[in-house]
Amino acid sequence: MSGRIDETKSFVPLRIAVLTVSDTRELAQDRSGETLVECLAAAGHLLARRAILRDERAEISARLREWLAEDDIDVIVTTGGTGLSARDVTIEAHRDVYEKEIEAFGPIFAMLSLGKIGTSAVQSRATGGVASGKLLFALPGSPGACRDAWEGILARQLDSRFRPCNFVEILPALSRRGEKR
């Protein structure tokens, strides 16, 4: 992959909330959430919140809105509920709160997945977006998919030193609604 870490820049740790969406898991069995917590901590970021919710669109949207209102959260990452079954409503819940969708996130994730799981990657609806000056990402519910998304996209884009550009440097502009550039 192209891009590089500019060691002359300072690393900016982000405060990241992790939400697992599952009808069956509890914290003790939440391998996907734990994978994300391990990845963000290893990268130098801070865990701001962690929770598990059932696959209920209104509950997921409400929790996203709650966390979007918190000043000590910069990024929200959800895992689970991104598939095609009737119970998979995480993507819809994310889109309930998005102000803007990061349209390239899903296709880039699918490209990464294609090399690992072949055409099964077509079943993922991973997405990213922006709301209330924060970044949101919805990842599949498998630990491997979470690790792939982190290592293949998020580790670089959430690193303030990554060049040619990264999400961290645009965070301040996300909350300047209507301000002319």
Side-chain angles (χ1 to χ4, degrees):
M1 271 191 202
S2 296
R4 63 180 175 75
I5 298 294
D6 182 349
E7 297 293 343
T8 67
K9 301 283 183 187
S10 296
F11 177 78
V12 176
L14 298 175
R15 299 159 302 184
I16 303 174
V18 175
L19 176 63
T20 299
V21 177
S22 174
D23 287 338
T24 59
R25 289 186 214 158
E26 294 186 18
L27 201 57
Q29 302 90 21
D30 182 18
R31 292 185 16 235
S32 298
E34 191 59 33
T35 296
L36 288 170
V37 169
E38 290 169 3
C39 288
L40 71 88
H45 298 295
L46 307 169
L47 179 64
R49 305 276 188 293
R50 184 170 179 195
I52 297 179
L53 286 179
R54 293 177 35 85
D55 263 310
E56 296 293 340
R57 182 175 178 171
E59 290 178 32
I60 299 164
S61 296
R63 180 60 58 94
L64 293 175
R65 284 187 182 95
E66 176 186 316
W67 284 357
L68 287 168
E70 299 288 332
D71 290 335
D72 64 339
I73 295 175
D74 302 307
V75 178
I76 300 169
V77 182
T78 65
T79 174
T82 64
L84 299 172
S85 80
R87 294 288 301 152
D88 291 324
V89 295
T90 302
I91 302 307
E92 290 74 16
H94 268 250
R95 289 182 175 145
D96 288 344
V97 302
Y98 284 171
E99 293 165 7
K100 293 184 180 186
E101 190 161 355
I102 302 170
E103 294 178 11
F105 185 84
I108 298 254
F109 177 76
M111 288 179 0
L112 291 170
S113 298
L114 184 64
K116 304 223 175 186
I117 62 171
T119 59
S120 295
V122 76
Q123 294 185 32
S124 172
R125 299 187 305 140
T127 187
V130 174
S132 300
K134 301 176 193 311
L135 298 160
L136 298 93
F137 302 97
L139 308 179
S142 77
C146 289
R147 187 167 306 283
D148 292 345
W150 185 270
E151 293 174 355
I153 304 171
L154 297 177
R156 291 173 186 85
Q157 284 299 301
L158 298 179
D159 189 325
S160 55
R161 304 166 301 165
F162 186 76
R163 298 292 175 254
C165 58
N166 60 73
F167 287 137
V168 182
E169 62 194 9
I170 65 168
L171 271 173
L174 298 180
S175 60
R176 291 189 219 134
R177 295 184 191 153
E179 184 178 304
K180 293 190 179 189
R181 301 202 195 308

